[in-house]
């Protein structure tokens, strides 16, 4: 009887925790009006800008539609969500019989996170030490900040060679939700909330590379 009572108590505690986690955040009408309700389309990358400055090739881009409605609900309940961008720069080589042998030039893994403070009614966007945090009451502003990746160093020009093709692969991941006490292993269906973009392949323009010596 005691064991059954303990089991029932544990179940009730677990239900209460999940209810608190997924319950709707209480926002006033003005705040709710500022939250866009986009369709749950997959995330994708856009607004690519490749530039050259300070003897390096740089990339800026944005992640569109990173959070679906369920993840937005978690954000509004104070659960931090993170967007991670992975870039790989390779030197393309072709040998006899069209065998490719790419040389890795650079790799980057950059993460940015968004957290909603229910007490202060503000969103906090953190850049993992790359620049100061952004604090705002506007969800659209916070969303734009967390989904924009600027000044990603793709290639140092001192390592680049003229008349050589350099290729960049880019992908963004929205990491799995982490629940208290590792409950994600119990609620395995949360793994379906992992979101990632396709892998995009970009060519570094020839005009950004060193000129061949005469």
């Amino acid at each position: 009887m005691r064991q059954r009572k303990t089991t029932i108590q544990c179940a009730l505690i677990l239900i209460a925790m999940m209810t608190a986690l997924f319950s709707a955040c209480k926002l006033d009408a003005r705040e709710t009006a500022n939250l866009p309700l986009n369709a749950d389309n997959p995330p994708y990358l856009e607004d690519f800008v490749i530039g050259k400055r300070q003897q390096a090739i740089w990339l800026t881009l944005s992640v569109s539609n990173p959070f679906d409605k369920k993840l937005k609900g978690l954000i509004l309940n104070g659960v931090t969500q993170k967007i991670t961008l992975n870039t790989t720069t390779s030197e393309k080589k072709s040998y006899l019989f069209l065998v490719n042998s790419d040389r890795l030039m650079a790799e980057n893994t950059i993460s940015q996170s968004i957290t909603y403070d229910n007490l202060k009614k503000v969103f906090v966007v953190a850049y993992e030490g790359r620049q100061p945090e952004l604090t705002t009451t506007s969800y659209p502003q916070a969303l734009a900040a967390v989904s924009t990746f600027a000044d990603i160093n793709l290639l140092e020009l001192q390592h680049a060679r003229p008349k050589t093709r350099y290729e960049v692969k880019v992908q963004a991941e929205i990491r799995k939700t982490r629940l208290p006490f590792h409950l994600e292993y119990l609620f395995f269906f949360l793994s379906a909330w992992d979101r990632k973009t396709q892998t995009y392949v970009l060519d570094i323009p020839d005009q950004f590379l060193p000129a061949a010596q005469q």
Side-chain angles (χ1 to χ4, degrees):
M1 178 65 69
R2 179 177 299 177
Q3 183 177 2
R4 180 180 179 183
K5 183 177 180 180
T6 302
T7 302
I8 294 175
Q9 290 176 341
C10 291
L12 292 175
I13 293 174
L14 187 59
I15 293 173
M17 291 175 60
M18 295 304 298
T19 301
L21 179 63
F22 295 107
S23 61
C25 181
K26 294 182 178 180
L27 301 176
D28 59 38
R30 182 180 57 185
E31 291 173 317
T32 304
N34 290 330
L35 299 180
L37 297 177
N38 297 329
D40 291 341
N41 296 319
Y44 60 91
L45 303 181
E46 62 178 358
D47 301 330
F48 295 93
V49 177
I50 296 179
K52 181 178 72 172
R53 60 182 174 84
Q54 297 179 350
Q55 297 302 308
I57 307 296
W58 298 82
L59 172 66
T60 295
L61 57 82
S62 61
V63 184
S64 183
N65 197 35
F67 307 120
D68 59 14
K69 293 180 181 179
K70 292 180 180 179
L71 291 180
K72 290 177 185 177
L74 286 175
I75 292 172
L76 295 178
N77 280 281
V79 180
T80 299
Q81 293 300 318
K82 180 183 294 185
I83 303 177
T84 299
L85 189 75
N86 302 303
T87 68
T88 302
T89 304
S90 302
E91 179 181 288
K92 305 296 291 182
K93 295 182 177 181
S94 295
Y95 294 100
L96 295 176
F97 308 108
L98 300 179
V99 176
N100 293 327
S101 179
D102 300 343
R103 182 164 72 102
L104 179 64
M105 302 297 295
E107 286 184 304
N108 287 292
T109 299
I110 303 171
S111 295
Q112 301 178 170
S113 63
I114 180 173
T115 305
Y116 182 65
D117 189 324
N118 285 283
L119 297 179
K120 297 181 179 179
K121 302 293 185 180
V122 296
F123 296 91
V124 179
V125 177
Y127 302 93
E128 292 194 348
R130 296 183 65 239
Q131 53 185 297
E133 294 182 346
L134 170 70
T135 301
T136 176
T137 58
S138 169
Y139 176 75
Q141 182 181 5
L143 180 62
V146 75
S147 59
T148 300
F149 290 79
D151 297 337
I152 305 167
N153 191 333
L154 299 180
L155 179 65
E156 297 288 340
L157 290 179
Q158 63 181 342
H159 302 309
R161 299 187 297 181
K163 295 184 178 181
T164 303
R165 180 188 170 200
Y166 291 95
E167 183 182 87
V168 182
K169 293 183 179 179
V170 189
Q171 184 185 49
E173 298 179 336
I174 293 83
R175 294 299 175 88
K176 180 186 296 185
T177 303
R178 299 299 181 186
L179 299 180
F181 310 112
H182 298 285
L183 289 178
E184 66 269 14
Y185 295 107
L186 178 61
F187 296 92
F188 58 89
F189 56 85
L190 289 181
S191 62
W193 292 5
D194 285 358
R195 293 166 63 82
K196 63 178 60 178
T197 67
Q198 297 179 353
T199 299
Y200 292 70
V201 180
L202 311 173
D203 287 326
I204 294 180
D206 293 338
Q207 60 266 31
F208 291 162
L209 301 176
Q213 295 182 355
Q214 300 297 331

